[in-house]
């Protein structure tokens, strides 16, 4: 009984898969030039595995051999199809984040791998710059600051809470307390609100002149 002929290693199907994978490598690499190296490994030829390399960051060339991960795929058909976001390093020491995608043919044999190597050293410097940009100094503030517009409603609430904390209504506050309140309102920006002085005079039962005297008095 004659044995069935073996399918040649470089089958037509494999060639089609490699050609299609090469399109993907070229497109992704050209989308992120100088940032992400994209390499197509032909695992049928481990000694000359690199078939295409786009946005070259590692200094390798077409025809260079497969990496350790590529060799592991050749040896083990059960090797994971995707190894994602693992730490790596370029020959010059720059840190990289890598992802390797294995490509199998219909027989379940790994014939190729697409590898993406992102140069994270660029982002590390950007991250440091952003960190410096958003960092604030640890120092004691002379007073709390709120970066929003005040309203008359908030003004009324502040006046009433100030008086209530002292066991009074706004009108029954003593002169010293009223002066303290008016100066506090000015410091906190409430007297910049439209009609604020009129509202304060109504709440405290004093004249506009008195309010301005509170602000001028030592």
């Amino acid at each position: 009984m004659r044995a069935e002929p073996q399918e040649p290693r470089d089958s037509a199907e494999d060639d089609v898969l490699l050609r299609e994978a090469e399109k993907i490598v070229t497109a992704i690499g050209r989308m992120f030039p100088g940032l992400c190296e994209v390499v197509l490994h032909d695992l049928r030829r481990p000694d000359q595995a690199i078939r295409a390399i786009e946005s070259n960051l590692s200094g390798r060339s077409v025809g260079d051999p497969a990496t350790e991960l590529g060799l592991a795929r050749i040896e083990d058909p059960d090797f994971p199809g995707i190894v994602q976001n693992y730490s790596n390093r370029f020959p010059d020491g720059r840190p990289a984040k890598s992802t390797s995608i294995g490509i199998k043919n219909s027989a379940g044999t790994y014939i190729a791998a697409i590898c993406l190597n992102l140069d994270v050293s660029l982002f590390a410097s950007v991250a440091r710059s952003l960190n410096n940009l958003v960092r604030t100094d640890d120092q004691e503030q002379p007073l709390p600051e709120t970066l929003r517009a005040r309203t008359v409603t908030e003004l009324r609430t502040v006046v009433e809470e100030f008086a209530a904390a002292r066991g009074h209504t706004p009108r029954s506050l003593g002169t010293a307390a009223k002066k303290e309140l008016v100066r506090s309102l000015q410091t906190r920006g409430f007297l910049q609100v439209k009609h604020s002085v009129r509202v304060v005079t109504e709440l405290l039962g004093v004249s506009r002149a008195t309010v301005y005297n509170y602000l001028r008095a030592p």
Side-chain angles (χ1 to χ4, degrees):
M1 186 173 176
R2 245 168 61 181
E4 290 294 325
Q6 298 263 333
E7 183 181 19
R9 187 165 179 77
D10 290 1
S11 70
E13 178 196 13
D14 293 354
D15 289 338
V16 169
L17 289 172
L18 266 293
R19 285 198 300 271
E20 293 303 305
E22 192 166 347
K23 294 179 187 177
I24 296 171
V25 166
T26 301
I28 296 176
R30 291 180 181 177
M31 189 171 181
F32 303 102
L35 294 176
C36 185
E37 175 184 86
V38 190
V39 185
L40 175 61
H41 294 274
D42 183 346
L43 299 183
R44 302 171 304 176
R45 298 176 175 82
D47 293 339
Q48 305 173 47
I50 295 184
R51 172 168 171 149
I53 183 166
E54 198 70 42
S55 185
N56 193 329
L57 299 175
S58 63
R60 290 175 293 172
S61 304
V62 171
D64 280 353
T67 62
E68 295 86 348
L69 198 149
L71 295 174
R73 277 206 172 97
I74 294 170
E75 295 294 327
D76 183 6
D78 294 326
F79 194 88
I82 298 176
V83 182
Q84 191 149 29
N85 295 337
Y86 59 93
S87 178
N88 213 335
R89 194 164 291 276
F90 291 112
D92 61 5
R94 283 172 298 161
K97 183 171 80 169
S98 298
T99 290
S100 177
I101 307 163
I103 299 172
K104 287 183 175 180
N105 60 17
S106 60
T109 301
Y110 278 119
I111 60 160
I114 295 175
C115 296
L116 298 89
N117 304 305
L118 182 69
D119 184 354
V120 295
S121 67
L122 301 172
F123 299 102
S125 62
V126 171
R128 284 193 295 271
S129 297
L130 290 174
N131 184 61
N132 289 334
L133 185 64
V134 301
R135 179 178 54 81
T136 56
D137 293 332
D138 294 329
Q139 60 183 3
E140 186 177 346
Q141 286 182 257
L143 53 92
E145 181 182 33
T146 303
L147 301 178
R148 60 179 171 80
R150 305 295 188 177
T151 67
V152 169
T153 300
E154 287 180 310
L155 171 61
R156 291 180 182 276
T157 299
V158 169
V159 171
E160 289 168 356
E161 288 180 348
F162 180 92
R166 289 157 179 77
H168 286 273
T169 65
R171 284 179 173 261
S172 68
L173 287 168
T175 300
K178 288 180 179 179
K179 184 186 296 185
E180 178 187 350
L181 171 59
V182 169
R183 291 184 173 183
S184 172
L185 293 173
Q186 181 189 42
T187 299
R188 296 169 64 183
F190 281 104
L191 295 189
Q192 305 302 316
V193 178
K194 190 176 182 180
H195 306 308
S196 59
V197 175
R198 177 175 59 79
V199 171
V200 171
T201 61
E202 292 173 356
L203 289 170
L204 299 183
V206 298
S207 66
R208 292 175 66 92
T210 300
V211 170
Y212 291 123
N213 284 336
Y214 288 160
L215 295 173
R216 286 194 295 267

